Amino acid sequence: EVIIENKYYEAYDLALSYIEVKMRNRKEIIKYLSKKEFNDNEINYALDKLQDLNLLNDKAYIVAYINDKVNLSLDGPLKIKKCLVELDFNEFDIDEYLNTFDDDVWKSKIIKIIDKKKSMMRNKSYFMFINKMKNDLYNMGYSGDMVDEYLSNIEYNSNSIDKDIEKSKRKYNDKNKIINFLLRKGYSYDEIKSKLH
């Protein structure tokens, strides 16, 4: 009986140490204790004790997690929400706190991402730059409306068309082939025409 009882206390002590490092939720603690080969009864005992001491607080976890992501990462609201939903948190609680953030918070993050990518993609056409930005911003958790709104006002001066024209001229003698090459690179027909005369 003492050995059995000790296993319960051991599970609780380990869970306590685990949440002292950083805030955790039920799902994370269950996964952690399962890896340590505790059975369901021992895990539930640890969870109940933590709950009784108010050390498992979903709303506090959501607030802390979102604040960390907003202050320390460039993740958008959809990615933040997805991560919390995967940890079995209530969508209503997640949305309730995410909605307290002003659109300007997300806007400043998007602008930061765009400015960083701009300097890295100077050698790409405007079309390629916009497509890459859309893809990156969607993956980072920004909504289509938000992305379209900020990208529609973007200034992007690519210096790549002249280089690509020179490259295409070395590769092809035929004007149509040069135009097709540049179209595939993402330049508009008007842009190509104005440069090729």
Side-chain angles (χ1 to χ4, degrees):
E1 273 184 30
V2 172
I3 293 167
I4 291 166
E5 201 172 310
N6 278 345
K7 284 291 281 180
Y8 283 92
Y9 289 124
E10 195 187 330
Y12 168 67
D13 283 341
L14 270 176
L16 196 57
S17 302
Y18 187 55
I19 65 168
E20 278 174 354
V21 178
K22 97 182 200 31
M23 210 180 257
R24 313 279 182 179
N25 79 330
R26 294 181 75 84
K27 188 174 183 177
E28 290 171 303
I29 293 168
I30 291 167
K31 189 176 174 185
Y32 175 72
L33 292 177
S34 296
K35 276 186 182 172
K36 301 281 182 189
E37 297 185 357
F38 288 99
N39 65 37
D40 288 350
N41 291 337
E42 292 156 354
I43 293 169
N44 287 331
Y45 172 82
L47 289 169
D48 289 344
K49 276 204 70 128
L50 293 173
Q51 193 75 54
D52 291 344
L53 294 167
N54 201 27
L55 295 173
L56 281 180
N57 184 323
D58 281 1
K59 285 198 176 184
Y61 185 106
I62 288 168
V63 167
Y65 184 90
I66 292 173
N67 284 338
D68 277 356
K69 287 294 180 184
V70 168
N71 295 316
L72 305 172
S73 81
L74 292 172
D75 291 348
L78 300 177
K79 186 174 180 180
I80 293 170
K81 180 178 177 175
K82 182 176 180 277
C83 291
L84 285 167
V85 167
E86 283 171 1
L87 287 170
D88 291 338
F89 286 108
N90 181 302
E91 279 194 54
F92 176 80
D93 292 337
I94 300 165
D95 288 335
E96 188 176 44
Y97 191 63
L98 270 177
N99 290 336
T100 64
F101 290 90
D102 194 78
D103 279 353
D104 288 344
V105 169
W106 310 116
K107 180 181 179 180
S108 71
K109 287 180 182 298
I110 288 175
I111 290 167
K112 233 183 232 178
I113 296 163
I114 290 170
D115 286 345
K116 191 177 173 186
K117 293 280 184 187
K118 250 193 212 178
S119 60
M120 291 164 62
M121 293 184 67
R122 279 276 174 245
N123 63 341
K124 301 289 181 198
S125 69
Y126 173 79
F127 175 78
M128 281 182 152
F129 171 73
I130 292 295
N131 277 354
K132 173 85 172 114
M133 281 315 316
K134 277 187 179 181
N135 195 37
D136 288 356
L137 289 166
Y138 293 149
N139 288 337
M140 291 178 85
Y142 295 94
S143 71
D145 291 344
M146 217 181 258
V147 170
D148 290 342
E149 182 187 338
Y150 299 123
L151 284 180
S152 63
N153 300 319
I154 199 82
E155 279 185 32
Y156 177 75
N157 299 315
S158 168
N159 57 8
S160 61
I161 189 163
D162 296 326
K163 287 179 188 170
D164 282 332
I165 285 172
E166 287 310 307
K167 192 197 273 185
S168 66
K169 282 181 177 175
R170 285 194 299 272
K171 204 170 181 182
Y172 307 108
N173 291 326
D174 182 63
K175 191 175 180 181
N176 286 333
K177 283 183 178 175
I178 291 170
I179 290 168
N180 284 333
F181 171 83
L182 294 168
L183 286 170
R184 283 196 306 275
K185 284 276 189 177
Y187 301 104
S188 72
Y189 186 73
D190 291 338
E191 197 179 359
I192 296 165
K193 226 171 132 187
S194 72
K195 290 281 185 178
L196 284 179
H197 311 297

